[in-house]
Amino acid sequence: MRLIRFGNSGLVVSEVGLGTRTFGESIDQTACKQVLDRYEDVGGNLIDTAVTYADGRSEEILGQLLTGSRRDRFVLSTKFGVRRSNEDPNSAGASRRNLRRSLDESLRRLRTDYVDILWLHAWYPGLPADEFLRSARDEVARGRVLNIGVSNAPAWWISRLHTRAEERGWEPLAGIQVEYSLGRREAERELLPMATGLNLGVLAWSPLGRGCLMREPEYGSATALSAAEDTAWQRLRKTVVDVAASAGTSPAAVATGWVINKGAIPLIGARTAAHIDGIAVATTSRLADEHQQELDRAAYSEPPSLDRFLREARGRIDPCAASSASRTDVEENGRTNDE
């Protein structure tokens, strides 16, 4: 796998990350070891977990597998903010108390004295932004957290948070986590352009569309779709399969490769070492331009009205774009100083 710099941080990470929600939940420790070993073999070094994954079992397994010098070979990140106990209202949210206690638990389970990235797991109305930033700054100063990021939050709030941190000399955000796949392109509207503008790294969770790009969804499950959505997913699945056949690779590699080509780091939730091999192909054999374009057309996402307006009006509002226009063109499309 290629190594890339993560956003504005000094971290160097692999272009595919390992999501470990499956660890301790749907696969046992033996399978976890096989997955992690294979991920390391193919050059992966970015691991993502959370204090609540499998009720903490994910972190515990990672702590048992990342012992000694092996810990330093990985960029290890965890998330906090989701409720850890139904009996304790303060075990959820972005308060200083919850950040401290969640981080204490994570470090203990991971058997390490620091995490490379601490993520706020999700935004909610009224989230105490200043308290979160001050608490994160304190943990960075203590050396228990090296970088911070935000997952599952609106672009306006992330931008405000990042700017506030920069203005006050607090720890700035290093990256964001978003749901992003061929079938879930909403992040392209605001989140991805924002990340580019602020130089934030992007981790894309569920790059296989929660499995819907690979198989029929299980109705009645969390991935159940409406009839209209199912028709769209069927069309996408067929395109992914056709492109995979044309490219001589796997559908999973095609879907993952599309995300990589969009500039995001896909987080894969492998259950077997073979899953790692299937997706690693996406990092060694790039999608041809015609295949990328075919996937883009199949997964077309109508840009919001503002984007359309700015694109269509660029020749009238961008001085560089209008530099070749005649004075008559300028006068016809906009007011002059004489008016």
Side-chain angles (χ1 to χ4, degrees):
M1 294 187 190
R2 290 187 307 175
L3 295 176
I4 58 177
R5 192 170 302 282
F6 187 69
N8 54 42
S9 74
L11 293 175
V12 176
V13 300
S14 53
E15 59 186 343
V16 173
L18 179 64
T20 61
R21 185 171 182 175
T22 57
F23 281 31
E25 183 175 274
S26 56
I27 59 176
D28 60 23
Q29 186 161 345
T30 298
C32 293
K33 183 179 185 306
Q34 294 170 347
V35 166
L36 184 61
D37 288 349
R38 189 57 188 149
Y39 177 66
E40 184 177 14
D41 288 342
V42 299
N45 78 335
L46 174 60
I47 299 176
D48 180 72
T49 185
V51 69
T52 52
Y53 282 175
D55 293 327
R57 183 62 178 153
S58 173
E59 290 183 329
E60 289 177 353
I61 292 175
L62 284 171
Q64 293 165 11
L65 296 176
L66 299 177
T67 57
S69 61
R70 193 183 194 192
R71 160 65 183 94
D72 292 331
R73 295 202 293 272
F74 289 95
V75 173
L76 182 59
S77 72
T78 192
K79 298 185 286 292
F80 86 101
V82 173
R83 187 179 304 278
R84 291 173 288 111
S85 170
N86 290 330
E87 299 176 355
D88 181 7
N90 286 304
S91 69
S95 68
R96 180 183 296 272
R97 171 191 172 101
N98 190 44
L99 188 154
R100 176 69 61 84
R101 294 185 64 187
S102 294
L103 184 58
D104 286 344
E105 287 189 25
S106 293
L107 295 178
R108 174 178 57 81
R109 292 170 179 163
L110 292 167
R111 302 186 185 186
T112 185
D113 56 1
Y114 74 98
V115 291
D116 294 282
I117 310 173
L118 178 66
W119 299 92
L120 175 65
H121 207 148
W123 175 85
Y124 57 91
L127 187 150
D130 282 0
E131 185 174 358
F132 163 61
L133 288 173
R134 284 194 299 267
S135 302
R137 175 197 60 186
D138 292 346
E139 295 299 344
V140 170
R142 295 176 66 187
R144 303 207 306 169
V145 172
L146 303 189
N147 299 275
I148 62 173
V150 172
S151 174
N152 306 310
W156 67 264
W157 187 82
I158 297 174
S159 299
R160 183 179 181 186
L161 191 76
H162 185 72
T163 301
R164 185 175 302 183
E166 286 189 324
E167 289 177 343
R168 300 182 180 183
W170 296 348
E171 187 65 22
L173 300 181
I176 62 172
Q177 283 197 34
V178 298
E179 181 177 11
Y180 187 46
S181 69
L182 275 163
R184 290 284 185 261
R185 299 182 66 177
E186 295 85 352
E188 293 178 356
R189 294 177 178 265
E190 293 188 347
L191 286 162
L192 297 189
M194 175 208 67
T196 298
L198 298 179
N199 192 22
L200 303 179
V202 179
L203 298 190
W205 59 268
S206 197
L208 303 184
R210 308 191 187 200
C212 291
L213 289 172
M214 304 296 106
R215 62 182 182 276
E216 295 284 342
E218 298 177 3
Y219 289 92
S221 71
T223 58
L225 305 172
S226 67
E229 288 176 322
D230 186 46
T231 299
W233 281 106
Q234 288 180 17
R235 176 168 48 83
L236 278 176
R237 279 195 296 272
K238 182 179 185 307
T239 303
V240 169
V241 170
D242 290 347
V243 168
S246 175
T249 187
S250 69
V254 167
T256 304
W258 180 87
V259 172
I260 294 173
N261 286 352
K262 291 294 184 178
I265 299 172
L267 285 173
I268 57 173
R271 291 180 171 82
T272 67
H275 290 165
I276 298 290
D277 290 331
I279 290 176
V281 174
T283 68
T284 56
S285 56
R286 303 290 164 186
L287 285 174
D289 289 343
E290 59 268 25
H291 290 152
Q292 184 79 11
Q293 293 166 6
E294 183 178 353
L295 293 167
D296 281 338
R297 288 192 296 270
Y300 176 70
S301 178
E302 179 70 15
S305 58
L306 177 60
D307 284 358
R308 292 199 303 274
F309 170 81
L310 293 177
R311 184 180 61 226
E312 294 165 359
R314 184 182 176 193
R316 292 181 286 133
I317 60 179
D318 184 339
C320 294
S323 61
S324 60
S326 67
R327 180 173 177 79
T328 301
D329 292 331
V330 174
E331 290 175 348
E332 287 178 351
N333 292 307
R335 292 183 178 274
T336 67
N337 291 332
D338 295 330
E339 294 178 304

